Every structure is written in C-alpha cells, then in structure tokens.
Amino acid sequence: MAHISAGVATSHVPLLGVAVDQGKTQDDYFGPIFKGYEWTKEWEKQEQPDVVILVYNDHASAFDMNLIPTFAIGCGDSFGICDEGWGPRPVPDVEGHPDLAWHIAQSLILDEFDMTIINDLDVDHGLTVPLSMMFGQPEKWPTKVIPIAVNVVTYPPPSGNRCWALGEAIRKAVESFPDDLNVQIWGTGGMSHQLQGPRAGLLNREWDNRFLDMMVGDSDAARHIPHIEYLRETGSEGIEMVMWLVMRGALGRKTRCLHRHYHIPCSNTAIGHIVLEPDN
Amino acid sequence: MTEQNIHEYLSDLDDIPGTRVYTASRARQGYHLNQFAMSLMKPENRERWKADERAYLADWKLSDAQRQAVLDRDYNRLLELGGNIYYLAKVFSTDGLSFVQAVSSMTGMSVEDYQAMMMAGGRPAEGNRSIREGN
C-alpha cells in the first residue's frame, strides 16, 4: 500500500528560482538561505520518494480570473513550465502520477471535498522553486509530482481548518491506493510577507516561529487561526501559510521535526522551511 | 473555524493599514484590468505592448482611471481600482523590474531604503495591525 512517509514545507520565493538558474546560490545574500536546505537535499537523496503531493498556489499563471478553483488537483501525465512574464524557467517539465492523482481525486470527492480536476496544467514558481530547493538542477526531476492548487489569491481562501481536513482526507486516500509507493506531501508558500501597498515589506519573525512550533507535536491549534490573524500579523500574502496546514493535516495526529530553517529576508519575504515525520 | 458572519469577515479585511485585500468586490471591479495583465504572459503580446502601450490597452475594457494608472505604473492606484499584485506582476516583469523594485515603489521609500529596511528585519507588525485599534 502507498503511504505518506514525510511532510516538507518551504517558502517558494521567485527570486530563489532566479538564484538557482543564474548560479548565485553561494553568494553573500543567498548563501545563508540555501545553506538551510543542504540537510534536506541530502535527506531527499536517501528518501527517494516515488511521488510528491505538492500543495501550492498558482500565481495567476495557469488560472486567470475566468476560473478560480478553491482546491484543484493535477491529474495529467506531465506539467509544462509557465512563462510568468520573463520566459519559462529553464527547468525540466514535471512528471505526474495520473493513477494515484485520479485515485486521490475520487477519494476526496467521496469524502465531500469538491475538487477541480485538471488535466492540462502549466506550473509556475510556486511549484518549481520548491523542487529546485530540494533537488537542485537535475536533467529530470527525481520524483513524480501531483500538484494540488489552493486559491489564496481571491478572497475568501479556504479556512485553515478546511485545509487541515483536506490533508487528513489526502492521507486516507493515499493509504487506500494499492501500489506500494513512498509518498511525501509538501506544503509551499509563506512565511510572513506583504507584496502590496504602503504596508509592503512586513515581516514577523516571532509569529512565523510560533507557527513553525505549531507544526511539530500533537497540537492542532494552527487549524483555528483565522484569516484576519494571518493578514494582520504576517502581511497580506502570509495567508499562503494555510497551505502548510494541508501538509500538516496529512501527517496525522503527531509529528516529529527532522529539520528546521528560518531566515530574514529573501526579497520581500521571510523564508521558512521544515521537514516533518509522522509520529503516530 | 467556527461559522463566520460574512459582513464581519469582510469588514475586518478593510481594517488593515496600507493594505487592499483582494475581495470579491475588488475582483469584480478589476476583472478586465487583471486579464489585461495576464495577457502579458505571452511573448507576442509583450512585444505588441512594448511597441505601443496605448494601442495595446485600447483592446481591453478598462476604465479611463485604470488605463491611466497602468500607463503611470501607479500600483497603489491600481490596487484601489481592482488590480491584484499577482496579476500586476506581469506588468512589472515585462518592464524588467524585480519584485523588490516594484513592491518598494508602493511604500513611498526609495529602493535602497526599502532594501535596508528588509535587511534590518522588515517592517514590524507593531503599529501596522489595525486601523481601528491603532496597533
């Protein structure tokens, strides 16, 4: 049977993709950021997940204002790389796992989550930057990926509680898939950042670290954080952190922290990264 | 989350200093503006846009105020008129600007001062949480 062996969360700042693509990962600015991912890169080489369920948000790339799904799942064979305005990133296309993805979609719908199913999907930095942070610059990504897109752009986004519950249902779906697969779930986006208006540049180290604390152990307090708290404390785009809750919910009642990294600033944002193992 | 009153939920979103949350009413107002921005994801559209911005905008159902704010690259005004930063990013990316350069332009700070603020830990939440509470 398939199983979820670990959860990974990371920010997905576009500038990190630029740093990888242009070979700047070791300079003074980026060095301390990328150093925090070295442990995870080595760990991923040993873990060799068959599939990563990658929870991310589309940044007005694949979805425009004609179609705004709250939760969507990529069921295609492969996913192309978006041109976000400066040409597509020079990274490999992303290979999907249609059998598992369709299985999860069916299971989630029966569990009363109204998923949007996508077959033809180009993915943006929200999905490709985390892959680069964990796997560097391979000719082909070493894992298959099932994208799960969450709307955190147009209000209201789903509640934290709903995201956590979606994670719980994903775990149930994965564990009922007959093939023996090592599956990881990644939550991407966040941490504190505000990209707009006169309040742009807001960072909240203290709040972010409390949130990281909440990912570990058996507390489910994070599922009850209201949207307004993310907005007030972590900036308008800090709402992306609800996507980490899908990851956390999928790990079950209790987690153990394997690795944790936090750094300020990266472009307009704080950067956070954590690796968790189910401990149930 | 327990059940919420939608009016209280929306009213709270308007209580954050220096912030325009992308609510349904803004999304509705900004539909054509954001779709215009989105069109710049195609290289052939970027070429047409760069060659003649006014002519390119004529193809889109923007209000006069939106049209002028786009030409002025007045991002705060664009947010007021229903623009969303994830969409508007296509405009400043086409201009060759980074997120830091574009975002700092909304704060009334120079790029250098903004970057210095970020290096020093960013803008604090203290004093920036609520208009009503002034905290």
Side-chain angles (χ1 to χ4, degrees):
Chain A
M1 301 293 260
H3 69 286
I4 294 181
S5 59
V8 176
T10 179
S11 306
H12 58 207
V13 188
L15 188 65
L16 294 179
V18 174
V20 171
D21 301 339
Q22 298 183 357
K24 293 178 181 165
T25 61
Q26 301 306 316
D27 72 14
D28 288 348
Y29 188 80
F30 290 108
I33 296 170
F34 281 85
K35 198 163 185 302
Y37 289 83
E38 281 171 14
W39 183 92
T40 315
K41 283 173 87 169
E42 285 306 309
W43 172 81
E44 285 286 7
K45 279 182 200 157
Q46 290 155 28
E47 291 294 304
Q48 299 192 343
D50 300 301
V51 185
V52 168
I53 298 170
L54 204 157
V55 184
Y56 79 114
N57 65 296
D58 179 80
H59 299 73
S61 303
F63 306 133
D64 60 16
M65 284 199 58
N66 286 321
L67 189 66
I68 307 173
T70 295
F71 294 124
I73 180 165
C75 294
D77 287 319
S78 74
F79 309 103
I81 309 300
C82 280
D83 179 343
E84 297 179 56
W86 56 87
R89 287 192 62 209
V91 294
D93 280 0
V94 175
E95 194 182 345
H97 195 305
D99 287 342
L100 178 59
W102 275 106
H103 173 82
I104 292 171
Q106 294 172 91
S107 181
L108 291 177
I109 290 165
L110 290 174
D111 270 340
E112 303 181 349
F113 286 89
D114 306 315
M115 302 301 293
T116 298
I117 291 159
I118 324 167
N119 284 302
D120 188 2
L121 171 71
D122 282 353
V123 291
D124 69 15
H125 73 266
L127 189 134
T128 62
V129 166
L131 288 173
S132 298
M133 299 310 285
M134 308 308 161
F135 300 131
Q137 292 177 290
E139 280 184 23
K140 177 177 180 294
W141 298 117
T143 178
K144 295 180 176 180
V145 174
I146 297 175
I148 293 195
V150 178
N151 166 47
V152 290
V153 176
T154 305
Y155 272 70
S159 70
N161 186 47
R162 189 69 176 154
C163 289
W164 191 296
L166 177 70
E168 292 171 331
I170 289 171
R171 177 190 176 91
K172 183 178 155 196
V174 169
E175 289 178 349
S176 63
F177 189 70
D179 294 1
D180 185 23
L181 293 173
N182 175 14
V183 179
Q184 290 186 0
I185 182 156
W186 296 6
T188 72
M191 309 214 62
S192 59
H193 60 307
Q194 172 144 348
L195 305 177
Q196 51 121 343
R199 199 175 76 136
L202 187 126
L203 297 180
N204 194 338
R205 178 187 290 272
E206 198 188 345
W207 198 98
D208 286 344
N209 277 286
R210 269 208 308 274
F211 186 82
L212 285 164
D213 291 343
M214 280 191 262
M215 296 292 100
V216 185
D218 62 1
S219 166
D220 69 349
R223 68 195 296 165
H224 304 298
I225 299 168
H227 288 160
I228 191 68
E229 182 172 335
Y230 290 103
L231 286 159
R232 290 197 198 284
E233 298 290 337
T234 74
S236 49
E237 280 65 45
I239 194 69
E240 289 182 354
M241 278 186 269
V242 297
M243 295 185 295
W244 291 33
L245 302 184
V246 182
M247 176 279 297
R248 176 61 191 83
L251 298 181
R253 194 180 62 83
K254 197 172 170 197
T255 62
R256 188 170 35 235
C257 178
L258 302 181
H259 178 67
R260 176 170 164 169
H261 172 52
Y262 184 83
H263 178 84
I264 280 176
C266 174
S267 183
N268 294 285
T269 173
I271 184 154
H273 167 46
I274 196 164
V275 181
L276 301 167
E277 216 173 44
D279 183 19
N280 295 303
Chain B
M1 197 183 292
T2 51
E3 272 185 45
Q4 291 214 14
N5 175 306
I6 188 169
H7 301 294
E8 287 170 12
Y9 178 91
L10 293 174
S11 142
D12 276 352
L13 300 183
D14 280 333
D15 180 51
I16 303 167
T19 303
R20 301 265 182 260
V21 179
Y22 194 57
T23 54
S25 64
R26 291 207 174 89
R28 209 177 137 204
Q29 186 190 7
Y31 174 73
H32 295 289
L33 170 63
N34 291 313
Q35 293 298 79
F36 143 73
M38 188 88 189
S39 74
L40 298 178
M41 287 178 70
K42 294 202 169 102
E44 60 273 26
N45 290 346
R46 293 198 287 269
E47 290 313 309
R48 276 188 54 221
W49 162 248
K50 284 183 196 165
D52 188 340
E53 294 188 0
R54 280 176 194 278
Y56 190 86
L57 284 176
D59 290 348
W60 296 87
K61 278 202 279 183
L62 269 54
S63 69
D64 290 343
Q66 288 172 331
R67 207 176 300 274
Q68 193 56 49
V70 171
L71 292 170
D72 295 343
R73 306 293 195 273
D74 185 344
Y75 286 102
N76 281 332
R77 182 84 179 120
L78 287 168
L79 294 173
E80 276 169 28
L81 298 171
N84 174 276
I85 196 64
Y86 292 110
Y87 290 86
L88 298 175
K90 278 60 175 176
V91 180
F92 63 69
S93 295
T94 302
D95 286 337
L97 293 185
S98 70
F99 265 83
V100 165
Q101 288 169 319
V103 168
S104 64
S105 77
M106 292 180 269
T107 64
M109 302 169 81
S110 68
V111 179
E112 292 73 24
D113 287 350
Y114 180 83
Q115 279 178 314
M117 174 182 80
M118 297 311 284
M119 293 306 288
R123 187 184 304 284
E126 191 60 44
N128 286 305
R129 294 186 175 101
S130 164
I131 299 166
R132 284 194 300 257
E133 306 288 327
N135 63 351

